[in-house]
Amino acid sequence: MTPQTPSQSTETLEKQVTGATVWLTGLPSAGKTTIANELAGRLRAEGRKVEVLDGDEIREFLSAGLGFSRADRDTNVQRIGFLAELLARNGVLALVPVIAPFADSREAVRKRHQAGGTGYLEVHVATPVEVCSVRDVKGLYAKQAAGELKGLTGVDDPYEAPEAPDLRIESHTQTVQESAAALHALLTERGLS
């Protein structure tokens, strides 16, 4: 057995702790969090440090008090982007299943990552609104239809789908496991898994 030189062991260590942010954007009930949790389990089983920064949890603990105006949504996305980049630059794969409806907000997060030399992937969970409204995990579409909710992203509030995401997942045509596997393959291809 040949002992490693200090530079070899440092290089190996750096390779093992490469972090990145994977931002899963899409409509409410598109399957973002389900896919992120499935992928997180797989990555943890492989020994990776992974955190899922779920949008609902962030709103409760980090962005409490913010509403759903354009400015508040932007502030929320920037806070999440800052946290994700901080984790990623410290060797964690940050999976971010957050709607982030505006392209310029997502681009600002990407640029922050690029400026820090931190990996960033944008994944569009491209589930049609008709499918999302049937899934209606949180009952948002039913409340909007009943007139109890205004400003539902993709229905009566805008959603700007990514024009050129790193990956587009059609979650309505494949299983959760297939969707997570496609994302895992992209991470592997980019040297991030």
Side-chain angles (χ1 to χ4, degrees), residues 23-30 32 70 73 77 96-106 122-129 132 141 151-165 167-169:
W23 199 291
L24 295 94
T25 179
L27 297 174
S29 297
K32 301 176 300 296
R70 169 84 191 232
R73 287 176 189 254
V77 168
V96 185
V98 173
I99 296 169
F102 300 109
D104 59 348
S105 294
R106 295 190 307 266
E122 183 177 69
V123 177
H124 181 205
V125 182
T127 310
V129 69
C132 293
Y141 292 93
L152 181 59
T153 302
V155 177
D156 59 355
D157 214 44
Y159 175 73
E160 299 169 357
E163 291 180 16
L167 178 66
R168 188 175 316 277
I169 293 175

Side-chain angles (χ1 to χ4, degrees), residues 47-85:
R48 288 303 313 261
K49 291 184 195 175
V50 181
E51 288 296 333
V52 177
L53 301 179
D54 179 75
D56 293 332
E57 291 175 357
I58 295 290
R59 278 227 175 241
E60 182 179 352
F61 297 107
L62 187 63
S63 294
L66 289 180
F68 291 91
S69 68
R70 169 84 191 232
D72 282 357
R73 287 176 189 254
D74 185 57
T75 298
N76 187 49
V77 168
Q78 297 316 305
R79 286 178 183 176
I80 297 168
F82 172 79
L83 179 58
E85 198 275 333

